[in-house]
């Protein structure tokens, strides 16, 4: 059973209630405790299943979306698109996802397998050189011209953030309230805001560390080129509020990749790029974290969507050169049977 209460039968009842596991091999020599919230366990493979489900269920409840009649339109190149494709199929809604040529073909194939229509914009914005503004314009055009069209607009939709109060509640309950540090990757800021608001409302003395990409517009513009998708944003999201995080760590593409490879080598967890970013962030702050503190990293998605990048040795050496020494000697430390 998932974490969103009385969802009823079917696949969406398994959204949320993901496992929280202790990692004892990832950061040897540290005297704090490290836990991972495995969001890959959601049915569509990522944390964005939570946002997709909650935004759509709310739109159906308010009548903004009518199953069997409405069309949902969103710009996403990754996990939210997959989460929406799944939820729209379940709720009998037509779904059009607007992507660009950089979208991973595997993600497009997954969305299509759920029955989504995928539209690819090919022009870049004249001012910024980015695809994102063109994708957003295309979404607006579709919403304006198609009857009964609805855009969840993850970057500004409060229900996206609301979905993650449940993420935080699950973590806090699993640790009987003894949560000291939370490491959270940011893009739409839905996860960060939902977790931070839950913590504030419940008076939790947790230190929240936002993990952003170098080159992201959220905490430290200007925007720069990023290779690894997932965390980071090209524009400041409407959900962002100053003060959500106690601390911000910026992680480069290379450090994100090293975090992923270490997670695989030391803990046998194959996770996506933003998970590597939170691993790096925790490692970087490690010297300052007191002994005995409970630190939770939210790991947003699974590694299969990055097999042709992060986990491809050829791709890695093309972009970063010979860096495998940074995780080559790592190995899963097996316990005696
Ligand atoms: C892999 C991955 N990590 C992190 C995030 C950031 O989550 P949020 O949008 O809640 O800030 C996303 C969002 O799409 C994601 O796909």
């Amino acid at each position: 059973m998932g974490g969103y209460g009385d969802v009823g039968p079917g696949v969406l009842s398994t959204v949320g209630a993901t496992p929280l596991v202790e990692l004892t091999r990832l950061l040897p020599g540290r005297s704090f405790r490290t836990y991972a919230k495995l969001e890959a366990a959601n049915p569509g493979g990522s944390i964005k299943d939570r946002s997709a489900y909650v935004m759509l269920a709310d739109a159906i409840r308010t009548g903004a979306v009518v199953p069997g009649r409405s069309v949902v339109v969103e710009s996403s190149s990754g996990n939210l698109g997959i989460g929406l494709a799944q939820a729209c199929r379940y709720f009998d809604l037509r779904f059009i996802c607007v992507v660009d040529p950089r979208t991973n073909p595997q993600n497009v194939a997954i969305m299509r397998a759920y029955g989504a229509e995928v539209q690819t914009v090919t022009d870049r914005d004249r001012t910024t050189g980015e695809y994102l503004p063109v994708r957003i314009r295309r979404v607006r055009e579709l919403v304006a011209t198609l009857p009964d069209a609805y855009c969840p607009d993850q970057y500004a939709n409060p229900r996206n953030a609301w979905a993650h109060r449940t993420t935080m509640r699950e973590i806090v309950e699993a640790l009987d309230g003894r949560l000291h540090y939370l490491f959270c990757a940011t893009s739409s800021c839905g996860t960060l805001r939902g977790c931070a608001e839950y913590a504030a409302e419940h008076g939790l003395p947790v230190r929240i560390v936002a993990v952003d990409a170098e080159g992201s517009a959220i905490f430290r513009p200007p925007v720069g080129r990023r290779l690894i998708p997932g965390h980071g944003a090209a524009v400041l999201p409407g959900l962002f509020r100053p003060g959500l995080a106690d601390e911000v760590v910026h992680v480069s593409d290379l450090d994100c990749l090293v975090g992923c490879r270490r997670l695989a080598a030391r803990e046998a967890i194959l996770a996506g790029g933003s998970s590597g970013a939170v691993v790096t962030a925790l490692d970087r702050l490690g010297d300052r974290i007191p002994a005995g503190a409970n630190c939770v990293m939210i790991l947003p998605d699974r590694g299969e969507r990055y097999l042709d990048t992060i986990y491809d040795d050829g791709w890695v050496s093309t972009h970063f050169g010979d860096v495998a020494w940074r995780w080559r000697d790592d190995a899963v430390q097996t316990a005696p049977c």
Side-chain angles (χ1 to χ4, degrees):
M1 193 52 172
Y4 289 90
D6 190 17
V7 175
V11 70
L12 298 183
S13 69
T14 68
V15 174
T18 52
L20 184 75
V21 294
E22 184 169 4
L23 306 185
T24 55
R25 304 158 174 176
L26 182 65
L27 301 171
R30 297 295 193 190
S31 47
F32 51 81
R33 300 181 79 156
T34 301
Y35 296 85
K37 181 79 169 152
L38 301 178
E39 289 299 304
N42 281 299
S46 88
I47 195 165
K48 301 304 283 193
D49 288 4
R50 295 176 184 266
S51 310
Y53 168 68
V54 171
M55 290 192 294
L56 279 190
D58 187 63
I60 291 171
R61 190 182 52 77
T62 61
V65 155
V66 181
R69 196 177 77 197
S70 300
V71 48
V72 175
V73 185
E74 181 65 294
S75 157
S76 165
S77 50
N79 290 323
L80 182 73
I82 292 171
L84 282 173
Q86 174 180 252
C88 285
R89 172 62 26 234
Y90 191 80
F91 287 132
D92 189 21
L93 291 162
R94 184 178 165 204
F95 175 45
I96 304 176
C97 192
V98 179
V99 304
D100 65 53
R102 284 190 306 211
T103 305
N104 180 337
Q106 193 198 2
N107 289 354
V108 171
I110 295 170
M111 287 189 258
R112 289 208 166 111
Y114 279 118
E117 295 159 50
V118 178
Q119 290 198 10
T120 309
V121 302
T122 48
D123 297 331
R124 290 173 188 266
D125 179 59
R126 287 214 189 116
T127 320
T128 60
E130 295 278 343
Y131 288 114
L132 184 67
V134 183
R135 276 174 25 186
I136 291 169
R137 284 200 286 277
R138 181 70 189 132
V139 167
R140 288 198 187 120
E141 269 165 35
L142 288 167
V143 172
T145 51
L146 291 169
D148 296 311
Y150 168 81
C151 173
D153 191 7
Q154 63 157 333
Y155 287 94
N157 188 332
R159 302 306 289 182
N160 174 17
W162 183 263
H164 296 291
R165 290 177 186 229
T166 307
T167 316
M168 187 64 157
R169 178 170 51 76
E170 290 169 14
I171 293 169
V172 172
E173 287 177 0
L175 293 173
D176 285 330
R178 291 188 295 274
L179 170 64
H180 305 109
Y181 283 80
L182 180 76
F183 287 77
C184 174
T186 53
S187 178
S188 69
C189 294
T191 313
L192 175 66
R193 183 156 164 189
C195 291
E197 288 181 348
Y198 182 94
E201 277 163 24
H202 292 80
L204 303 174
V206 55
R207 195 161 174 80
I208 298 186
V209 182
V211 182
D212 199 8
E214 284 182 4
S216 161
I218 305 173
F219 292 99
R220 197 175 61 195
V223 174
R225 186 163 173 262
R226 291 175 286 126
L227 289 174
I228 297 177
H231 58 306
V235 290
L236 187 64
L239 288 179
F240 174 80
R241 294 284 176 278
L244 290 173
D246 298 293
E247 196 159 340
V248 182
V249 176
H250 283 89
V251 179
S252 68
D253 282 329
L254 175 58
D255 283 337
C256 172
L257 148 76
V258 171
C260 284
R261 292 293 195 118
R262 287 203 167 138
L263 201 51
R266 296 181 184 177
E267 294 284 353
I269 294 174
L270 200 65
S274 60
S275 301
V278 293
V279 166
T280 296
L282 174 56
D283 193 22
R284 232 182 254 171
L285 261 54
D287 288 345
R288 284 200 270 130
I289 298 177
N294 287 334
C295 303
V296 170
M297 304 181 296
I298 299 178
L299 305 188
D301 69 350
R302 56 176 72 140
E304 282 88 337
R305 289 171 192 163
Y306 306 81
L307 290 179
D308 53 357
T309 54
I310 292 170
Y311 298 102
D312 182 286
D313 291 340
W315 184 89
V316 171
S317 68
T318 302
H319 290 280
F320 302 103
D322 180 15
V323 290
W325 59 270
R326 291 184 62 173
W327 61 83
R328 201 164 23 216
D329 296 333
D330 287 1
V332 171
Q333 305 294 313
T334 46
C337 298

